[in-house]
Amino acid sequence: MISNHPHAISIWFLIGLQFLIYGVLVFGAGIYDAYVPSGRDIQLADLHAAIWWGAIMFALGLFYTVRFRPRRES
Amino acid sequence: MSTLLFPLFAQEVAPAKPLLPLSAVDIIIIIIYFGFVIGIGFYLKKFTKTGEEFFMAGRDMTAWVAGLAFLSANLGALELLGWAGASYQYGILAVHWYWIGAVPAMLFLGLVMMPFYYICKTHSVPGYLALRYGQAASMLSAFSFAGMTVLMSGVNMFAMAKVMETVLGWDLNFSILVSSLTVAVYVALGGLLSAIFNEVLQFFLIWFGALLIPILGLIETGGWQGMVDRIHKNFPGGDYTHAWRTLGSFDDNPMGINWCGIVFGLGAILAMGYWTTDFLVVQRVLTAKDLRAAKMAPILGAAFKMFVPIIVILPGLLGLAVLPEKLVGENVAVAGQHTYNDVLPLMLARYCGPGLLGLGITALIAGFMSGMAGNVSAFTTVWTYDLYKPLFNPKGADSDFVTMGRWTTVLGVLISIGTAYLVMHAASIMDYVQALFSFFISPLFGTVLLGMLWKRGTPAGGFWGLLAGTIASIGMWAAVKYDHNNLQYIALSPHAKDMAENMFRSIWCFLATVIITVVVSLLTTPKKDAELHGLVMGLTPQPEEGSYPLIHRPIFWAGIIFAVFLLLNFIFW
């Protein structure tokens, strides 16, 4: 049973890790797009949604990754 | 539940060029997703050695995990694309499939039905029927469920490939191959545990991939009132933003349905049948670690379900307000023209640049994959425990069933691939498969409900009631297929449209099931009380909840959620 297993990784940790990685990528893509626009016609592009959305995902991912990180049982 | 009601994408006309151009970072995001799900499958293999672990995820899930998986098993990409398209077509009427068509049923499952499923420790819904009514009713249910589930998985697979072709320009064969291989690997390795992990992951991906659309859409329109004003300007005379006001009669709304069909057909029968007896979703709740978690899981699911319209219905409404072109139905679209089902990808393309686009597409892919995995894992369990075990290997060891489960997963995926290619060459098959699935939902609800609440129900009554309800459903469907004018007799109105058929058909076949079950039961010998302990109300001791404070009791949260549900209906009346 995974939740009782001493070395099991929490599902919340995996979700946090994925959000952390995606947060970095989306944030980075947003920064890049702010300086080198993709050329596509995107509405409300001046709000730079990718930057703050990526930052939110990163922060959430960081919280879950730290909060539910695997710990070794003594 | 979209698959029960909408023939999606089968006849879709591919636009001249893909809707969404992906950048390198978008591709990386998609590749990372595939890496994650396969990695999770390999990681979880070591935790799924016994039958309980492989088929029931160890019955160790918290209420949160079981509840989110319960909801996610239904929150697939077809659901997102289909209902966003429906809200563009019908307006906020589509929200009924998320509110009255889900919330009461989920609360009913948690409070009333879950104790019986959980206490008898069944592996599946057909498994419950075997305990309650005997093998005949169980086999009928298991064969129909197993067959339809694996076919639906193929339909999902084809729909995904079709969407990827339309939206991204990907080759159909490539999409089918990659998705099926990935699902086969992670379900065969980690079983239901793996499917549940990925469903919870997908739940968050879908929210974060789709939530930006309504946020940015409302900013663009200047809020809700601004959106309503724009819709009125673009579509003068139409009422797209009131959920109940236009349901007085069949010809007052574009769905061609009235309040009676929505309340009794959708809310009381079809939704109850789907959310309480479709093993694909119920299986997730059966994995809960204790009875309180099992009761709380669907209640938590209901809480989240109420707010899914924010990422599904609202984008459709915003599409009515902001899209410069008018979308059309699948059957009238010509090459290059966008259809209702394209509204979500179009809104994604409207607001999302590099990175965000990859996130949105990953959310869709995750939805498709978990839909397939859900079907395959449910098929595997029903085949192994409800068909293979009683018919071919009643004395088999636990390890035999796990091995059978892993191979059945691969077999299920292969059958799904075959179905996908069958649908590719004969699109009408997709309509038939979806219709077939709907035949069994309402009769099964009647059979299970009577089984749980009425101890006089007999094995013969259960079997013949289920069979009669199913035949009645098929008969009504065939009658409308043969002559569309017959719809007026089923829906009791000459103004009724196709959507009303599903609702009223479900009412009649449910009644047929109940009447036949009662009549046959009264004419046949009932089971002894001792055989019904843990299966029927009055003979199943319910654990007390008195030791928990009010805030931790399922009934308390169900009451809160029901109050919010009523309030939302009142606000959007």
Side-chain angles (χ1 to χ4, degrees), chain A residues 34-59:
Chain A
Y35 289 98
V36 188
S38 64
R40 273 182 53 219
D41 181 25
I42 295 167
Q43 299 298 309
L44 305 178
D46 53 321
L47 293 181
H48 300 294
I51 295 178
W52 49 267
W53 201 246
I56 291 171
M57 289 188 76
F58 177 81

Short mmCIF file of all heavy atoms in Angstrom, two decimals, chain A residues 34-59:
data_model
loop_
_atom_site.label_atom_id
_atom_site.label_comp_id
_atom_site.label_asym_id
_atom_site.label_seq_id
_atom_site.Cartn_x
_atom_site.Cartn_y
_atom_site.Cartn_z
N ALA A 34 8.48 38.23 -24.53
CA ALA A 34 8.37 39.67 -24.28
C ALA A 34 9.44 40.44 -25.06
O ALA A 34 9.21 41.57 -25.49
CB ALA A 34 8.48 39.95 -22.79
N TYR A 35 10.62 39.80 -25.21
CA TYR A 35 11.72 40.46 -25.92
C TYR A 35 11.77 40.09 -27.40
O TYR A 35 12.18 40.90 -28.24
CB TYR A 35 13.06 40.12 -25.24
CG TYR A 35 13.19 40.79 -23.90
CD1 TYR A 35 12.91 40.11 -22.73
CD2 TYR A 35 13.56 42.14 -23.80
CE1 TYR A 35 12.99 40.73 -21.50
CE2 TYR A 35 13.63 42.77 -22.57
CZ TYR A 35 13.36 42.06 -21.42
OH TYR A 35 13.44 42.69 -20.21
N VAL A 36 11.40 38.85 -27.69
CA VAL A 36 11.40 38.40 -29.09
C VAL A 36 9.99 37.88 -29.41
O VAL A 36 9.73 36.67 -29.33
CB VAL A 36 12.44 37.28 -29.32
CG1 VAL A 36 12.57 36.96 -30.81
CG2 VAL A 36 13.78 37.64 -28.72
N PRO A 37 9.04 38.73 -29.75
CA PRO A 37 7.66 38.30 -29.97
C PRO A 37 7.57 37.23 -31.07
O PRO A 37 8.31 37.28 -32.05
CB PRO A 37 6.94 39.58 -30.40
CG PRO A 37 7.78 40.68 -29.86
CD PRO A 37 9.19 40.20 -29.91
N SER A 38 6.63 36.30 -30.85
CA SER A 38 6.52 35.16 -31.78
C SER A 38 5.96 35.57 -33.14
O SER A 38 6.10 34.85 -34.11
CB SER A 38 5.61 34.08 -31.16
OG SER A 38 4.30 34.60 -31.01
N GLY A 39 5.30 36.72 -33.19
CA GLY A 39 4.73 37.17 -34.46
C GLY A 39 3.29 36.76 -34.64
O GLY A 39 2.61 37.23 -35.55
N ARG A 40 2.81 35.86 -33.77
CA ARG A 40 1.39 35.47 -33.85
C ARG A 40 0.51 36.57 -33.28
O ARG A 40 0.94 37.32 -32.39
CB ARG A 40 1.16 34.19 -33.03
CG ARG A 40 1.42 32.92 -33.82
CD ARG A 40 1.13 31.71 -32.95
NE ARG A 40 -0.20 31.78 -32.37
CZ ARG A 40 -0.50 31.41 -31.12
NH1 ARG A 40 0.43 30.96 -30.34
NH2 ARG A 40 -1.73 31.50 -30.69
N ASP A 41 -0.71 36.67 -33.79
CA ASP A 41 -1.65 37.68 -33.32
C ASP A 41 -2.34 37.16 -32.06
O ASP A 41 -3.28 36.39 -32.12
CB ASP A 41 -2.69 37.98 -34.42
CG ASP A 41 -3.67 39.04 -33.97
OD1 ASP A 41 -3.30 39.85 -33.09
OD2 ASP A 41 -4.80 39.07 -34.49
N ILE A 42 -1.82 37.58 -30.89
CA ILE A 42 -2.37 37.11 -29.62
C ILE A 42 -3.05 38.28 -28.91
O ILE A 42 -2.44 39.34 -28.72
CB ILE A 42 -1.25 36.51 -28.73
CG1 ILE A 42 -0.70 35.26 -29.41
CG2 ILE A 42 -1.79 36.16 -27.35
CD1 ILE A 42 0.57 34.76 -28.83
N GLN A 43 -4.31 38.08 -28.51
CA GLN A 43 -5.04 39.13 -27.82
C GLN A 43 -4.48 39.32 -26.41
O GLN A 43 -4.07 38.36 -25.76
CB GLN A 43 -6.53 38.75 -27.72
CG GLN A 43 -7.22 38.58 -29.06
CD GLN A 43 -7.23 39.85 -29.88
OE1 GLN A 43 -7.62 40.91 -29.40
NE2 GLN A 43 -6.77 39.76 -31.11
N LEU A 44 -4.50 40.53 -25.94
CA LEU A 44 -4.01 40.90 -24.60
C LEU A 44 -2.56 40.48 -24.37
O LEU A 44 -2.17 40.15 -23.25
CB LEU A 44 -4.90 40.27 -23.51
CG LEU A 44 -6.41 40.57 -23.60
CD1 LEU A 44 -7.15 39.84 -22.49
CD2 LEU A 44 -6.68 42.06 -23.50
N ALA A 45 -1.78 40.50 -25.45
CA ALA A 45 -0.37 40.09 -25.34
C ALA A 45 0.38 41.02 -24.40
O ALA A 45 1.38 40.61 -23.76
CB ALA A 45 0.27 40.09 -26.73
N ASP A 46 -0.08 42.26 -24.29
CA ASP A 46 0.62 43.23 -23.42
C ASP A 46 0.49 42.86 -21.94
O ASP A 46 1.22 43.40 -21.10
CB ASP A 46 0.06 44.64 -23.65
CG ASP A 46 -1.45 44.69 -23.52
OD1 ASP A 46 -2.10 43.73 -23.97
OD2 ASP A 46 -1.97 45.67 -22.96
N LEU A 47 -0.42 41.94 -21.60
CA LEU A 47 -0.52 41.51 -20.19
C LEU A 47 0.56 40.49 -19.83
O LEU A 47 0.77 40.19 -18.66
CB LEU A 47 -1.89 40.87 -19.93
CG LEU A 47 -3.11 41.79 -20.00
CD1 LEU A 47 -4.39 41.00 -19.70
CD2 LEU A 47 -2.99 42.94 -19.01
N HIS A 48 1.22 39.93 -20.84
CA HIS A 48 2.31 38.95 -20.63
C HIS A 48 1.86 37.83 -19.68
O HIS A 48 2.49 37.57 -18.65
CB HIS A 48 3.56 39.64 -20.11
CG HIS A 48 4.08 40.67 -21.06
ND1 HIS A 48 4.60 40.37 -22.30
CD2 HIS A 48 4.13 42.02 -20.96
CE1 HIS A 48 4.96 41.47 -22.92
NE2 HIS A 48 4.68 42.50 -22.15
N ALA A 49 0.74 37.20 -20.04
CA ALA A 49 0.14 36.18 -19.17
C ALA A 49 1.12 35.05 -18.85
O ALA A 49 1.12 34.53 -17.73
CB ALA A 49 -1.10 35.60 -19.85
N ALA A 50 1.96 34.68 -19.82
CA ALA A 50 2.87 33.55 -19.59
C ALA A 50 3.83 33.85 -18.42
O ALA A 50 4.19 32.93 -17.67
CB ALA A 50 3.66 33.25 -20.86
N ILE A 51 4.20 35.11 -18.26
CA ILE A 51 5.16 35.43 -17.19
C ILE A 51 4.52 35.22 -15.83
O ILE A 51 5.04 34.50 -14.98
CB ILE A 51 5.68 36.89 -17.35
CG1 ILE A 51 6.48 37.00 -18.65
CG2 ILE A 51 6.53 37.28 -16.15
CD1 ILE A 51 7.00 38.40 -18.95
N TRP A 52 3.36 35.83 -15.60
CA TRP A 52 2.78 35.69 -14.25
C TRP A 52 2.13 34.32 -14.03
O TRP A 52 2.11 33.80 -12.92
CB TRP A 52 1.85 36.85 -13.89
CG TRP A 52 0.80 37.25 -14.89
CD1 TRP A 52 0.90 38.19 -15.86
CD2 TRP A 52 -0.53 36.72 -15.00
NE1 TRP A 52 -0.28 38.29 -16.57
CE2 TRP A 52 -1.17 37.42 -16.06
CE3 TRP A 52 -1.25 35.74 -14.32
CZ2 TRP A 52 -2.50 37.15 -16.45
CZ3 TRP A 52 -2.56 35.49 -14.69
CH2 TRP A 52 -3.16 36.20 -15.76
N TRP A 53 1.62 33.71 -15.10
CA TRP A 53 1.06 32.37 -14.95
C TRP A 53 2.17 31.37 -14.64
O TRP A 53 2.02 30.49 -13.79
CB TRP A 53 0.30 31.97 -16.22
CG TRP A 53 -0.71 30.88 -16.03
CD1 TRP A 53 -0.66 29.62 -16.55
CD2 TRP A 53 -1.92 30.93 -15.26
NE1 TRP A 53 -1.77 28.90 -16.17
CE2 TRP A 53 -2.55 29.69 -15.37
CE3 TRP A 53 -2.53 31.92 -14.48
CZ2 TRP A 53 -3.76 29.39 -14.74
CZ3 TRP A 53 -3.74 31.63 -13.85
CH2 TRP A 53 -4.33 30.39 -13.99
N GLY A 54 3.30 31.52 -15.33
CA GLY A 54 4.45 30.66 -15.07
C GLY A 54 4.96 30.85 -13.64
O GLY A 54 5.32 29.88 -12.96
N ALA A 55 4.96 32.11 -13.19
CA ALA A 55 5.44 32.39 -11.83
C ALA A 55 4.51 31.75 -10.80
O ALA A 55 4.97 31.18 -9.79
CB ALA A 55 5.51 33.90 -11.61
N ILE A 56 3.18 31.83 -11.05
CA ILE A 56 2.22 31.20 -10.11
C ILE A 56 2.44 29.69 -10.07
O ILE A 56 2.49 29.07 -9.00
CB ILE A 56 0.77 31.53 -10.54
CG1 ILE A 56 0.47 33.01 -10.33
CG2 ILE A 56 -0.24 30.67 -9.77
CD1 ILE A 56 -0.87 33.47 -10.92
N MET A 57 2.61 29.09 -11.23
CA MET A 57 2.83 27.64 -11.28
C MET A 57 4.11 27.26 -10.57
O MET A 57 4.18 26.26 -9.84
CB MET A 57 2.87 27.15 -12.73
CG MET A 57 1.53 27.18 -13.43
SD MET A 57 1.56 26.37 -15.05
CE MET A 57 1.56 24.65 -14.59
N PHE A 58 5.14 28.07 -10.78
CA PHE A 58 6.43 27.79 -10.13
C PHE A 58 6.28 27.85 -8.61
O PHE A 58 6.75 26.97 -7.89
CB PHE A 58 7.48 28.80 -10.61
CG PHE A 58 8.81 28.64 -9.93
CD1 PHE A 58 9.70 27.66 -10.36
CD2 PHE A 58 9.16 29.43 -8.86
CE1 PHE A 58 10.92 27.49 -9.73
CE2 PHE A 58 10.38 29.27 -8.22
CZ PHE A 58 11.27 28.30 -8.66
N ALA A 59 5.61 28.90 -8.13
CA ALA A 59 5.46 29.07 -6.68
C ALA A 59 4.66 27.91 -6.08
O ALA A 59 5.04 27.35 -5.05
CB ALA A 59 4.77 30.41 -6.39
#
